[in-house]
Amino acid sequence: MESCRICASANLEVKEVPMTGAVVTFSEVVVGSSGYPLKPPYTLALIKLDEGGHLIGVLRGGGEKGADWVGKRVKVIFEAVASGEKVIQPAPWPRVFAQMLSD
Amino acid sequence: MRPLASIITAGCAKYGRRDGLYARELLAEALDEAFENCPRLSRADIDAFYLGQAFEAFEHQANTAPSSAGGYGFRRIPAIRLDSVSSSGASALRQAVLGIRSGEYDVVIAAGVEKMTHVPTSVALDVISMASDRPFEQWNGVTLAAINAMMARMYLRDYKATEEHLAMIAVKNHRNGFYNPKAHLRRIVTVAEVLASKAVATPLKLLDCSPISDGASCVVLCRPELAARYTDCPVDIVASAEATDLNFVFREQLLGFEATRVAAAMAYAQAEASADKVDLFEVHDAFTINELLAYEDLGMCAKGSASRLLENSETSVGGRIPVNPSGGLKSKGHPVGSSGTGQAYEIFLQLTGRVEPERAVKGAHTALSHSMGGAGESVQVHVYRKRG
Ligand SMILES: [Zn+2]
């Protein structure tokens, strides 16, 4: 692959990264869509990865409701889709979660 | 400056819950109004039909343009559907303008439609979530409300603005929509009511969000030199610009919409104007935070100072720069594919002096519409001028 198929960057290299980062912003989703298997409420976080770039995933291990998660450290977890879940996609694809790291 | 195209008539079906009707029936309602108000125009005059409609899933129907056009008596003409989700109608408008500009057509229709309310809300939200990236956004629990909520949280944190300011946008637009007979939510609300409405995706609440609506709208365009043949008071389109962006999660700059800034700069250059030369704006306000960001991205105020415009009621009807006198998507409703042409319909009425006095922008000469697809992946900006 000569360039990234998402952002067209030619600065491309394959390497292992720790997949840690910090919460940039978040939202507690109360009204969800029927297409996502987790029933709301869940907290969705936008993560800035230490190695650059962003991912969005559901926050895990966050405690109390109404807390401010901005700036909190997280580790990104990829999880395979549960067997039996109806999937419409060209290739198997994991889901992203953001595991809170203790301070 | 030579106009790009001229609007000679327009129509809009009542927005709201329109039980028992198919999208093409809503479209016919909008087209009826346009033709009734322009007796010199006949169906045989129409050279091409551009239809904005975002989703095939609601009626399990693809390629809706030919049957909508043919069913209304526009036989064998080119008819094509455009999808840029929430700005599909504006995409249809822009392609219609380009069709006129190319010299290929004399008279064309730009229309928009969406029929949504017949499915359960959670299913509608799943369909609407198709606006977001499948593997990186939808797949991980993203809803469009959640993206806008995350953006709202960033804005409220970084700048001098509060949830009250977002609520003031809802209050203003509901007031305007109250006086719009085509609006879905015709109900005055207070800041306290907005703040007390139930959370959808924090910090956004139900009354920060536009409703799921059925609706259709259209404008008829012609070559500027032909307009006098059809009407004594055409509205000229003097700018048509469009820009796009990567999906939200792939952007380096997460707050504000670069596509709006780029499209606006092109539109102002074409119109030889700037924000302070525009008498009224119709902007994308699917969520209240969208309108706040539009104030800045469209150059109505400096970055970070949008809340000031609200505190001084400058964007209310009667203020210095009225925004969304129609009620916006927030109160008029958001039948996704119709919202872009719905803005053009409102501007046509405003500039030809045909709106209810309570929401009329007096003496308006120049207007701007700003339509956004998804979370700023597609943006269309048009500038309109009353002739004479
Ligand atoms: Zn990339």
Side-chain angles (χ1 to χ4, degrees):
Chain A
M1 201 180 355
E2 284 168 6
S3 64
C4 173
R5 298 304 186 214
I6 287 169
C7 70
S9 171
N11 181 14
L12 209 63
E13 123 186 58
V14 176
K15 66 173 182 183
E16 207 160 308
V17 295
M19 294 310 284
T20 50
V23 176
V24 176
T25 181
F26 68 96
S27 173
E28 192 189 1
V29 177
V30 181
V31 180
S33 91
S34 63
Y36 187 67
L38 210 62
K39 289 305 142 219
Y42 55 80
T43 300
L44 205 61
L46 188 134
I47 310 304
K48 183 169 179 56
L49 297 167
D50 294 333
E51 307 283 328
H54 298 113
L55 281 174
I56 296 177
V58 169
L59 204 60
R60 275 184 181 164
E64 69 283 28
K65 217 180 134 179
D68 185 2
W69 309 113
V70 174
K72 299 283 187 216
R73 300 284 303 159
V74 296
K75 182 171 175 59
V76 169
I77 292 168
F78 294 103
E79 219 160 77
V81 170
S83 63
E85 190 184 330
K86 209 174 104 192
V87 172
I88 302 175
Q89 56 182 187
W93 191 255
R95 283 199 164 90
V96 172
F97 293 88
Q99 178 67 49
M100 292 287 298
L101 296 172
S102 46
D103 299 314
Chain B
M1 170 208 343
R2 192 184 179 282
L4 308 177
S6 303
I7 305 179
I8 51 173
T9 187
C12 183
K14 164 96 175 76
Y15 285 8
R17 259 199 91 100
R18 302 297 310 275
D19 289 337
L21 296 173
Y22 277 80
R24 61 177 166 230
E25 294 175 284
L26 293 169
L27 266 172
E29 233 180 89
L31 290 163
D32 280 347
E33 182 185 339
F35 278 90
E36 277 161 21
N37 290 333
C38 191
R40 287 182 249 163
L41 179 71
S42 82
R43 294 180 196 204
D45 293 326
I46 307 303
D47 296 324
F49 183 78
Y50 297 85
L51 178 62
Q53 186 178 21
F55 301 111
E56 300 169 351
F58 284 115
E59 292 185 349
H60 203 272
Q61 183 70 66
N63 201 19
T64 44
S67 60
S68 301
Y72 199 76
F74 312 131
R75 290 292 165 83
R76 296 181 182 86
I77 62 168
I80 187 167
R81 187 188 118 206
L82 293 113
D83 158 31
S84 56
V85 284
S86 296
S87 73
S88 297
S91 287
L93 175 61
R94 180 168 154 72
Q95 291 307 313
V97 169
L98 295 179
I100 295 282
R101 282 268 284 156
S102 72
E104 180 81 0
Y105 305 127
D106 289 339
V107 185
V108 302
I109 289 178
V113 69
E114 213 77 45
K115 179 73 184 81
M116 311 172 76
T117 66
H118 54 287
V119 306
T121 301
S122 73
V123 175
L125 294 177
D126 184 42
V127 172
I128 295 165
S129 80
M130 281 197 256
S132 299
D133 188 76
R134 176 63 162 170
F136 284 92
E137 294 180 334
Q138 295 176 43
W139 199 239
N140 297 321
V142 165
T143 62
L144 225 44
I147 288 185
N148 285 282
M150 290 194 286
M151 222 179 261
R153 189 179 300 282
M154 292 174 81
Y155 189 93
L156 300 185
R157 201 182 167 92
D158 291 357
Y159 299 109
K160 266 184 69 179
T162 62
E163 292 177 37
E164 279 82 354
H165 290 112
L166 297 179
M168 288 164 82
I169 291 172
V171 169
K172 169 181 73 69
N173 292 352
H174 272 264
R175 185 206 167 273
N176 295 342
F178 179 75
Y179 295 107
N180 184 350
K182 297 290 171 73
H184 183 176
L185 303 177
R186 299 188 68 191
R187 180 159 81 84
I188 302 279
V189 299
T190 63
V191 167
E193 272 178 83
V194 178
L195 293 176
S197 63
K198 82 179 176 62
V200 169
T202 63
L204 297 181
K205 295 160 280 288
L206 185 64
L207 287 173
D208 285 300
C209 307
S210 56
I212 292 167
S213 315
D214 305 326
S217 51
C218 67
V219 290
V220 183
L221 308 180
C222 72
R223 283 201 283 131
E225 57 272 30
L226 299 179
R229 202 187 273 178
Y230 299 104
T231 178
D232 299 330
C233 42
V235 166
D236 291 325
I237 296 182
V238 295
S240 174
E242 177 172 48
T244 59
D245 204 347
L246 294 175
N247 280 84
F248 174 70
V249 72
F250 303 133
R251 294 176 201 154
E252 279 172 45
Q253 185 62 43
L254 292 165
L255 188 56
F257 296 106
E258 187 62 19
T260 296
R261 294 188 281 263
V262 171
M266 289 191 287
Y268 288 135
Q270 287 173 31
E272 295 170 17
S274 52
D276 57 344
K277 295 287 189 303
V278 176
D279 302 315
L280 77 97
F281 291 80
E282 280 283 314
V283 310
H284 179 79
D285 63 333
F287 302 95
T288 49
I289 180 66
N290 294 137
E291 181 170 321
L292 196 80
L293 292 169
Y295 293 172
E296 301 180 3
D297 291 334
L298 292 171
M300 295 159 68
C301 65
K303 200 176 163 96
S305 65
S307 57
R308 206 89 54 74
L309 294 180
L310 291 159
E311 286 166 4
N312 301 329
S313 302
E314 292 187 68
T315 56
S316 300
V317 170
R320 188 170 58 88
I321 29 173
V323 176
N324 287 331
S326 67
L329 283 48
K330 175 72 264 276
S331 162
K332 187 184 178 188
H334 187 23
V336 177
S338 177
S339 288
T341 39
Q343 292 176 331
Y345 169 80
E346 168 72 11
I347 285 170
F348 181 73
L349 294 194
Q350 286 279 359
L351 296 186
T352 54
R354 293 181 216 193
V355 298
E356 295 66 29
E358 295 86 352
R359 59 186 196 86
V361 180
K362 292 190 188 70
H365 186 263
T366 302
L368 180 148
S369 65
H370 158 260
S371 193
M372 180 183 289
E377 287 82 26
S378 297
V379 172
Q380 291 75 19
V381 175
H382 288 86
V383 180
Y384 312 73
R385 222 164 257 160
K386 183 179 171 171
R387 199 173 286 190

